[in-house]
Amino acid sequence: MSRRLRYIGSNSGNNGCPTLYEDVETGEVLVQGDAVTDPDEVAQLRNVKPEEGFVVVPRVLLADFAPRDVDREPVLIGFEEFDSMFENFEHTAFRLETRRRYRSDERTDTYRRFAAGQAAGWDLEDPWCRSRREQVALGKRFERVRVMDNPPTPGQRYLLDNAERNSAVGEDIRYLWRADADRLGLPEEDTWLFDSRVIALLHFDADDDLTGVELITDPVQVARACQVRDAAWHFATPHGAFGAEVPSGV
């Protein structure tokens, strides 16, 4: 069975070599680099097996991107502490929103009205909206890329309508079709990235309820999250233009 590889990082610029990859299933690291083929050099290596190969990589690549701690304990925080992160961050909060359904949405009056074919009736003066406006007024940025299926799920259509509310209070929201997200190799995890230094990984149960928030500060994972953000943001379409491409659900 072929390995499923995740790109870790490279310091090679645009030519793609040398580079590190991680086996998603086992955590093993694969190295891409210039092959060592000189017989005199190979002769200096120990216990060489016929199927083995060797590559050269700069020391700085390993220093920057090689995993350093494989035994990290998950850091879980409560929802109150998670909520405080949206006021305590300094510069940027970026959301990669990947799920097909959020059970919490379906419990709201706005969802019930929308599902019934009525206007959702967003309240731009509720505490969430006021908090967003206050933070944006301080110069902070809220950015969000939502991944949508084709055809969209009912929950995704609801959130596309919701994008007008979020945009009105200062969020910049863009969209990607799931096929494009898969082509870009974007992860399936639903996350927030704060100040390009800490990931808040959202955990959901089988009923699509949010059950916990895990903080990740590992530099390799954070660097990867920044690369994911840049790719998603570059290829995503502003919600207004994207909405015009979405077929009617009627």
Side-chain angles (χ1 to χ4, degrees), residues 2 14 34 43 47 54 60 63-64 72 76-77 114 124-125 131 148 154 156 194 201 204 208-210 226:
S2 299
N14 295 324
D34 294 326
N47 303 318
F54 310 93
V60 67
D64 286 348
R72 290 179 183 267
L76 300 176
I77 62 172
F114 180 82
L124 297 183
E125 296 302 323
S131 175
M148 180 176 281
Q156 290 170 342
F194 293 95
L201 173 62
F204 294 84
D208 300 300
D209 276 312
L210 179 64
C226 291

Side-chain angles (χ1 to χ4, degrees), residues 204-222:
F204 294 84
D205 63 16
D207 294 323
D208 300 300
D209 276 312
L210 179 64
T211 59
V213 180
E214 178 182 350
L215 295 188
I216 300 173
T217 57
D218 174 65
V220 172
Q221 295 189 62
V222 170

Side-chain angles (χ1 to χ4, degrees), residues 6-79:
R6 176 186 291 132
Y7 172 87
I8 293 180
S10 174
N11 58 9
S12 63
N14 295 324
N15 62 15
C17 179
T19 303
L20 297 184
Y21 301 87
E22 179 185 30
D23 185 320
V24 173
E25 301 298 330
T26 68
E28 293 176 324
V29 175
L30 282 74
V31 181
Q32 172 189 353
D34 294 326
V36 177
T37 58
D38 186 306
D40 291 335
E41 294 180 3
V42 174
Q44 299 176 55
L45 305 176
R46 301 180 182 181
N47 303 318
V48 176
K49 299 176 183 178
E51 69 272 19
E52 290 181 333
F54 310 93
V55 298
V56 176
V57 297
R59 182 182 294 269
V60 67
L61 176 67
L62 301 179
D64 286 348
F65 294 105
R68 296 169 177 82
D69 185 355
V70 297
D71 297 321
R72 290 179 183 267
E73 291 292 329
V75 178
L76 300 176
I77 62 172
F79 294 133

Side-chain angles (χ1 to χ4, degrees), residues 26 49 65-66 84 98 116 136 152 174 239 241 248:
T26 68
K49 299 176 183 178
F65 294 105
S84 72
T98 60
V136 170
R174 302 185 182 187
H239 74 274
S248 171

